[in-house]
């Protein structure tokens, strides 16, 4: 399973970065191949200062070895070994009318000292963070997410949408990071879903990513915007940074397993603002966005 899924994310990385380069038209992804001293490595691809994408990364990794003590405590195990692979992406477009997007799809195995698999699961999802909210974009993104889920279980979309709304919540701000999407974790074999079934589901969601995001980018990337709207984008990016550094489990896992710091922090945007007690104008589009972020909305 781990070999099959790693092969899948290698191909998915290629298809996503090829499409994004085509859309940007100015710059290409810079590729870094890296190795983790304790075992494994990855292929990081970063795009910067493009016509469409100000900064973005589409990374894959496969790491293995002894599970660090901090993670043993987290999982409630002793002296375990692990293998983890996945694709993680974040794209910060230049135009504030184009939303930021995040996605990842991952697979994890844990072993006893004899090398037997004692636990295994899939996780992942994709979510959208707009700065100016076009309802039709939110509806499109969620419609694609729902279609990918419905192929496998009619309950998956509502279940994983709620998990996404709950997870990407900036508790210290009492607001959502964005308008959500899907979030699923610890997808383990059950009577109704074996690991092959979970593989089919996760890869279906991964394959849907470009369909969920690219039409939005193409529709919004050439819209006019003001310096004030750019300021708002950078202020909201600050909330994105706060979530990733304060709450995100993936960032925490990377740091605690001696992950590659440049790959872990590639999710951070290049230009951000933190203004003291900033409040949008009453009745503005900016205020409307904040009001929606205070309570998750059903888009489909």
């Amino acid at each position: 399973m781990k070999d099959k899924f790693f092969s899948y994310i290698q191909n998915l990385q290629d298809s996503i970065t090829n499409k994004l380069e085509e859309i940007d038209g100015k710059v290409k992804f810079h590729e870094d191949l890296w190795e983790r001293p304790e075992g494994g490595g990855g292929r990081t691809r970063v795009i910067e200062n493009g016509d469409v994408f100000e900064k973005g990364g589409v990374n894959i990794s496969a790491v293995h070895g002894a599970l660090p003590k901090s993670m043993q405590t987290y999982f409630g195990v002793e002296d375990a070994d692990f293998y983890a692979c996945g694709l993680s992406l974040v794209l910060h477009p230049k135009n504030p009318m184009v939303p930021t997007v995040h996605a990842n799809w991952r697979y994890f195995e844990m072993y006893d000292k004899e090398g037997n698999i004692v636990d295994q699961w899939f996780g992942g999802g994709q979510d959208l963070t707009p700065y100016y909210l076009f309802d039709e974009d939110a509806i499109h993104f969620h419609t694609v997410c729902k279609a990918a889920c419905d192929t496998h279980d009619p309950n998956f979309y509502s279940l994983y949408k709620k998990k996404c709304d709950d997870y990407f919540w900036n508790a210290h701000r009492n607001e959502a990071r964005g308008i959500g999407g899907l979030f699923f974790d610890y997808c383990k074999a059950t009577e109704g879903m074996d690991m092959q079934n979970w593989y089919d589901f996760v890869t279906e969601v991964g394959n849907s990513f470009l369909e969920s995001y690219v039409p939005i980018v193409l529709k919004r990337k050439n819209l006019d915007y003001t310096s004030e709207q750019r300021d708002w984008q950078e202020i909201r990016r600050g909330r994105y940074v706060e979530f990733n550094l304060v709450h995100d489990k993936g960032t925490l896992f990377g740091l605690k397993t001696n992950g590659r710091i440049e790959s872990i922090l590639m999710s951070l945007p290049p230009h951000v603002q933190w203004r003291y007690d900033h409040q949008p104008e009453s009745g503005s589009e900016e205020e409307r966005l904040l009001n929606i972020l205070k309570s998750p909305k059903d888009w489909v």
Side-chain angles (χ1 to χ4, degrees):
M1 182 59 76
K2 65 184 175 66
D3 293 336
K4 182 163 68 167
F5 190 69
F6 185 62
S7 177
Y8 166 75
I9 60 174
Q10 286 178 297
N11 292 329
L12 185 62
Q13 184 190 38
D14 288 340
S15 63
I16 290 174
T17 55
N18 288 342
K19 186 62 179 178
L20 296 177
E21 286 179 347
E22 176 191 319
I23 292 169
D24 191 273
K26 177 186 175 184
V27 294
K28 303 286 187 182
F29 279 85
H30 168 76
E31 180 175 282
D32 269 337
L33 301 177
W34 55 273
E35 292 185 1
R36 176 175 174 270
E38 297 86 349
R43 188 168 73 186
T44 293
R45 290 180 182 169
V46 172
I47 192 168
E48 292 183 291
N49 302 316
D51 281 343
V52 177
F53 300 108
E54 188 171 13
K55 185 185 176 190
V58 183
N59 302 343
I60 60 171
S61 64
V63 298
H64 57 85
L67 196 65
K69 289 292 183 186
S70 59
M71 300 308 292
Q72 289 180 28
T73 303
Y74 181 79
F75 288 123
V77 298
E78 293 181 3
D79 296 329
D81 291 331
F82 80 100
Y83 172 93
C85 71
L87 184 155
S88 180
L89 70 84
V90 177
L91 299 167
H92 292 290
K94 185 176 177 181
N95 190 319
M97 302 300 159
V98 185
T100 284
V101 72
H102 158 259
N104 72 80
W105 306 281
R106 58 192 180 275
Y107 175 69
F108 189 94
E109 288 184 352
M110 203 182 305
Y111 314 98
D112 61 22
K113 280 306 173 184
E114 285 69 51
N116 303 305
I117 297 176
V118 294
D119 211 349
Q120 60 186 148
W121 64 82
F122 284 102
Q126 51 208 46
D127 63 282
L128 203 64
T129 304
Y131 306 101
Y132 287 90
L133 180 58
F134 297 89
D135 286 14
E136 64 188 274
D137 295 350
I139 292 168
H140 168 79
F141 187 83
H142 277 270
T143 298
V144 173
C145 289
K146 185 176 186 300
C149 289
D150 286 351
T151 304
H152 298 271
D153 189 310
N155 298 312
F156 276 1
Y157 172 72
S158 58
L159 174 65
Y160 297 139
K161 178 196 180 294
K162 185 179 187 310
K163 286 184 182 294
C164 189
D165 290 335
D166 292 344
Y167 182 79
F168 292 106
W169 183 258
N170 257 334
H172 64 286
R173 297 283 191 181
N174 199 32
E175 67 182 24
R177 186 176 79 174
I179 58 154
L182 301 173
F183 179 83
F184 41 89
D185 207 0
Y186 304 115
C187 297
K188 302 181 181 184
T190 64
E191 203 171 292
M193 291 282 288
D194 62 22
M195 293 310 293
Q196 180 62 45
N197 295 145
W198 283 121
Y199 173 90
D200 293 341
F201 166 66
V202 174
T203 55
E204 177 116 32
V205 175
N207 292 341
S208 77
F209 170 74
L210 289 174
E211 181 188 352
S212 72
Y213 187 58
V214 166
I216 298 171
V217 178
L218 296 177
K219 192 180 292 185
R220 309 297 173 197
K221 68 185 178 72
N222 295 320
L223 294 180
D224 293 333
Y225 60 90
T226 65
S227 59
E228 290 80 13
Q229 289 170 325
R230 173 70 175 175
D231 283 343
W232 173 251
Q233 177 196 42
E234 293 181 357
I235 291 166
R236 292 304 306 169
R237 281 176 172 179
R239 305 295 173 91
Y240 199 93
V241 171
E242 289 174 22
F243 179 86
N244 277 27
L245 296 184
V246 175
H247 301 296
D248 187 63
K249 292 178 183 176
T251 302
L252 181 70
F253 179 81
L255 294 174
K256 291 196 171 184
T257 54
N258 195 29
R260 183 173 184 265
I261 195 66
E262 289 298 326
S263 298
I264 296 167
L265 298 184
M266 69 83 191
S267 63
L268 304 184
H271 300 286
V272 191
Q273 295 186 40
W274 280 275
R275 291 195 189 173
Y276 180 76
D277 196 27
H278 181 271
Q279 302 293 333
E281 282 187 32
S282 178
S284 65
E285 279 297 307
E286 291 85 355
E287 184 187 58
R288 174 176 176 262
L289 174 69
L290 289 191
N291 288 337
I292 287 176
L293 295 182
K294 291 183 190 306
S295 180
K297 181 173 176 176
D298 289 328
W299 293 102
V300 294

